Amino acid sequence: MVASAVPTQAKTDAKNSDGFRPVRKFGFGRSGAVKDEYETKLLDLARVTRVTGGGKRMKFRAVVIAGDKKSKIGIGIDKGKDVSQAIDKATARAKKNMINVVVVNGTIPHQVEAKAGPAVILLKPQAKGRGLVAGGAVRVICDLAGIKDVSSKILSGSKNKLNNARATMEALKKLKAK
């Protein structure tokens, strides 16, 4: 007699101790699941209003910084009708507007100063182990760019996170490898 080529039902009808089939959880244990290589941080969230003849229209503006902590950094600004939509759109824009930053032994290769709008930022390289001496938007951007030892100073009186973030990005674009 020839052995049958019909597959057994044991694999497809596997039941747990309750006698029921286990619930399949989608996205768990799949090799095809997409892992995001960029870490994101919400820098600023503002409610903006447009006044029309019929009244006020509210939107939310999100500023998101995305980086891989290995010299890639991007900034995204976008608006949405609700907070989650604004954050999602800004995150997508940050991932699209990536720049490469020159990082040498965890610091920047030389001193750099940049201006964006009214904000003026000064970045100075530091010795290994000094740490990230920066505040606000500059600290978030340098951290996500993978710069571990740097000193910064906001030379203008600007407290605006968005302008300070733009000035920091301009300063990082000016960096050249020695």
Side-chain angles (χ1 to χ4, degrees), residues 114-132:
K115 183 178 191 314
V120 182
I121 299 287
L122 173 70
L123 295 176
K124 285 183 174 180
Q126 291 296 328
K128 192 169 181 77
R130 173 73 190 254
L132 187 56

Side-chain angles (χ1 to χ4, degrees), residues 4 7 14 24 29-30 38 42 50 54-55 63 67 71 79 83 100 107 109 124 126-127 131 144 148 172:
S4 69
R24 287 177 31 187
R30 290 189 178 196
Y38 297 114
L42 180 67
R50 184 175 76 215
V63 180
S71 81
K79 293 180 195 144
V83 174
N100 282 320
T107 188
K124 285 183 174 180
Q126 291 296 328
L144 289 178
K148 293 175 183 65
L172 294 176

Side-chain angles (χ1 to χ4, degrees), residues 73-107:
I73 190 79
I75 184 170
I77 305 129
D78 221 323
K79 293 180 195 144
K81 290 187 189 274
D82 61 358
V83 174
S84 63
Q85 182 187 27
I87 291 171
D88 290 343
K89 286 169 72 176
T91 303
R93 191 161 287 194
K95 289 177 184 176
K96 199 189 276 187
N97 299 331
M98 286 284 174
I99 63 166
N100 282 320
V101 180
V102 179
V103 180
V104 180
N105 296 329
T107 188

Side-chain angles (χ1 to χ4, degrees), residues 18-149:
D18 298 340
F20 296 105
R21 285 188 187 166
V23 177
R24 287 177 31 187
K25 294 180 183 173
F26 295 102
F28 290 97
R30 290 189 178 196
S31 60
V34 178
K35 176 145 184 350
D36 195 12
E37 69 267 17
Y38 297 114
E39 189 177 321
T40 60
K41 281 201 176 148
L42 180 67
L43 186 68
D44 192 26
L45 186 66
R47 193 178 77 193
V48 292
T49 309
R50 184 175 76 215
V51 180
T52 61
K56 296 178 181 178
R57 298 232 174 111
M58 304 281 200
K59 281 190 173 184
F60 293 91
R61 184 195 68 202
V63 180
V64 174
I65 310 294
D68 65 351
K69 295 196 173 193
K70 297 177 196 150
S71 81
K72 280 188 115 178
I73 190 79
I75 184 170
I77 305 129
D78 221 323
K79 293 180 195 144
K81 290 187 189 274
D82 61 358
V83 174
S84 63
Q85 182 187 27
I87 291 171
D88 290 343
K89 286 169 72 176
T91 303
R93 191 161 287 194
K95 289 177 184 176
K96 199 189 276 187
N97 299 331
M98 286 284 174
I99 63 166
N100 282 320
V101 180
V102 179
V103 180
V104 180
N105 296 329
T107 188
I108 57 178
H110 56 85
Q111 180 174 320
V112 66
E113 187 176 322
K115 183 178 191 314
V120 182
I121 299 287
L122 173 70
L123 295 176
K124 285 183 174 180
Q126 291 296 328
K128 192 169 181 77
R130 173 73 190 254
L132 187 56
V133 184
V138 184
R139 185 178 195 88
V140 172
I141 289 174
C142 288
D143 181 40
L144 289 178
I147 302 169
K148 293 175 183 65
D149 301 304

